[in-house]
Amino acid sequence: MYPELLAHIKRYVKLTAAEEQLLCEKIEVKKVKKRDFILEPGKHCVGNYFVVKGLMRQYLVNTKLNEQIFQFGLENWWIADQDSLMTGQPSSCYIQAIEDSELLLLNEKNRVALIEQFPALETYFRMMMQKAFVAAQRRIGFIFNQSDEERYRHFSKLFPEFMQRVPQYMLASYLGFTPQFLSRLRAKKI
Amino acid sequence: MYPELLAHIKRYVKLTAAEEQLLCEKIEVKKVKKRDFILEPGKHCVGNYFVVKGLMRQYLVNTKLNEQIFQFGLENWWIADQDSLMTGQPSSCYIQAIEDSELLLLNEKNRVALIEQFPALETYFRMMMQKAFVAAQRRIGFIFNQSDEERYRHFSKLFPEFMQRVPQYMLASYLGFTPQFLSRLRAKKI
């Protein structure tokens, strides 16, 4: 049984003991070391990964050959390339471990099969998508309406522990500014 | 019956005649005039609106008192404040008609009740959320990796008809630049 995952799902939908059992039988445990990849460009994303322990990042290498991080995955978050899952096309991004991590993979074929017997699971995944969409929309609002410095302060206030955990250059990539700009900001001891 | 809506749903999931009937009984038709609001800050978003005809915009008034458009809704798109629907809190945004529009409202209470009898509908809404999330993530990528001019060219290429339909200042707001910058770009006849 996977207590972290079941507890997370129960925050959103009800689960019977039989449904818990059914779900847990379909889960695969994936232990990855720091710097390991679970997805690379040209490969298909096979399903959704729930982070039990550790920290992941999802990024593209853009036309200027810079790494552009567009998603982090930490404990109790799901991470996947939804684009590849949705279209069935190969991915154009990387998903890599920033720390040694323990993940639970729910393969997309298993997810689809489970939903037939367990429709509330689809409600849970609809809610996860809705949360992710709302977060992405808020992020677009912050990008347009806040200066780089305001965005940094705001993010620091929301996620103080996370800020200590993630390497500086990755934080700069996620927030859309250069590592040099981030160093200057930090030097001001904001 | 609402052929546009049913055709859209059938692109993603199967529907029996009984399910079509069930769904259509729960739909409310909303005809709105240009400049009418279907949502304003402080009000709760009551459900998802499917655009049969017309054009809608969703925007915030930011701290600098500028209108920031973060979503358009045109034919065959859903529009709603997912944040308000998800949290049950009052909205902080406006949803307004840019043209006289015909909308189909699926009230959130009705949506939840329908899913009990018709689980595939939840799969459809999960897919709509997934599409919206992927689009928002792509948009963040474009904001970080393209110059304003590149973003304008890219958007023009993807949505040539839409570009003719929407007022210039709204397009500028959506793309995150000033109407003056957009006028200069247009003068270059890009």
Side-chain angles (χ1 to χ4, degrees), chain A residues 58 62-64 68 70-71 82-83 85-86 108 111 115 119 122-123 125-127 129-134 136-140 143-146 151 174-176, chain B residues 58 62-64 68 70-71 82-83 85-86 108 111 115 119 122-123 125-127 129-134 136-140 143-146 151 174-176:
Chain A
Q58 184 173 11
N62 68 23
T63 47
K64 291 155 203 151
Q68 174 60 54
F70 55 97
Q71 193 77 49
Q82 296 301 335
D83 204 339
L85 283 178
M86 184 177 82
E108 186 61 7
R111 204 190 66 81
I115 280 157
E122 189 73 303
T123 296
F125 279 105
R126 192 260 305 155
M127 287 174 165
M129 280 294 113
Q130 192 174 18
K131 276 184 65 159
F133 172 59
V134 166
Q137 276 200 321
R138 284 185 190 153
R139 197 169 159 216
I140 292 170
I143 296 168
F144 284 140
N145 297 320
Q146 295 178 332
R151 205 152 73 247
Y174 181 77
L175 292 172
Chain B
Q58 185 173 10
N62 68 22
T63 47
K64 292 156 203 150
Q68 174 60 54
F70 54 96
Q71 191 78 50
Q82 296 300 336
D83 203 341
L85 283 178
M86 184 177 80
E108 186 61 7
R111 203 190 67 81
I115 281 158
E122 190 72 304
T123 295
F125 279 105
R126 193 259 306 153
M127 287 174 163
M129 280 295 113
Q130 192 174 17
K131 276 184 64 158
F133 172 59
V134 167
Q137 275 199 324
R138 284 186 190 154
R139 197 169 160 216
I140 292 170
I143 295 169
F144 283 140
N145 297 321
Q146 295 178 332
R151 206 154 70 248
Y174 180 77
L175 292 173

Side-chain angles (χ1 to χ4, degrees), chain A residues 109-126:
Chain A
K109 281 182 194 157
N110 285 339
R111 204 190 66 81
V112 170
L114 269 175
I115 280 157
E116 295 285 314
Q117 297 163 271
F118 177 16
L121 195 67
E122 189 73 303
T123 296
Y124 170 74
F125 279 105
R126 192 260 305 155

Side-chain angles (χ1 to χ4, degrees), chain B:
Chain B
M1 299 299 266
Y2 306 108
E4 296 88 351
L5 174 62
L6 296 176
H8 193 263
I9 297 176
K10 284 185 209 171
R11 280 159 55 183
Y12 300 92
V13 295
K14 285 185 189 142
L15 265 172
T16 66
E19 286 164 345
E20 288 188 3
Q21 183 68 30
L22 206 64
L23 172 66
C24 291
E25 281 167 14
K26 299 293 184 188
I27 292 290
E28 296 164 59
V29 179
K30 300 274 174 192
K31 291 192 179 180
V32 289
K33 292 274 173 205
K34 184 175 171 172
R35 296 195 189 86
D36 281 356
F37 290 95
I38 58 167
L39 184 65
E40 290 176 74
K43 306 250 172 89
H44 286 81
C45 182
V46 293
N48 288 278
Y49 296 85
F50 181 81
V51 183
V52 176
K53 196 176 159 298
L55 182 58
M56 308 294 292
R57 65 170 180 150
Q58 185 173 10
Y59 67 96
L60 287 168
V61 174
N62 68 22
T63 47
K64 292 156 203 150
L65 299 182
N66 292 322
E67 290 178 2
Q68 174 60 54
I69 298 178
F70 54 96
Q71 191 78 50
F72 287 109
L74 59 166
E75 285 89 0
N76 287 322
W77 275 80
W78 289 90
I79 196 160
D81 180 1
Q82 296 300 336
D83 203 341
S84 172
L85 283 178
M86 184 177 80
T87 60
Q89 296 296 309
S91 181
S92 53
C93 70
Y94 297 87
I95 303 180
Q96 188 189 31
I98 301 176
E99 301 172 359
D100 293 353
S101 300
E102 192 181 322
L103 310 171
L104 304 179
L105 168 61
L106 180 57
N107 184 294
E108 186 61 7
K109 281 181 194 158
N110 285 338
R111 203 190 67 81
V112 171
L114 267 174
I115 281 158
E116 295 285 314
Q117 297 163 271
F118 178 16
L121 195 66
E122 190 72 304
T123 295
Y124 170 74
F125 279 105
R126 193 259 306 153
M127 287 174 163
M128 293 303 103
M129 280 295 113
Q130 192 174 17
K131 276 184 64 158
F133 172 59
V134 167
Q137 275 199 324
R138 284 186 190 154
R139 197 169 160 216
I140 292 170
F142 295 145
I143 295 169
F144 283 140
N145 297 321
Q146 295 178 332
S147 68
D148 287 353
E149 189 167 334
E150 282 168 342
R151 206 154 70 248
Y152 174 77
R153 284 178 198 233
H154 183 83
F155 196 81
S156 308
K157 217 167 158 180
L158 286 177
F159 308 107
E161 286 170 29
F162 177 73
M163 298 287 280
Q164 300 306 317
R165 200 167 153 187
V166 68
Q168 289 306 297
Y169 80 95
M170 290 189 191
L171 195 62
S173 165
Y174 180 77
L175 292 173
F177 35 79
T178 63
Q180 292 75 21
F181 179 81
L182 187 59
S183 298
R184 286 202 301 276
L185 266 185
R186 290 233 155 174
K188 282 168 76 179
K189 295 205 197 308
I190 290 158

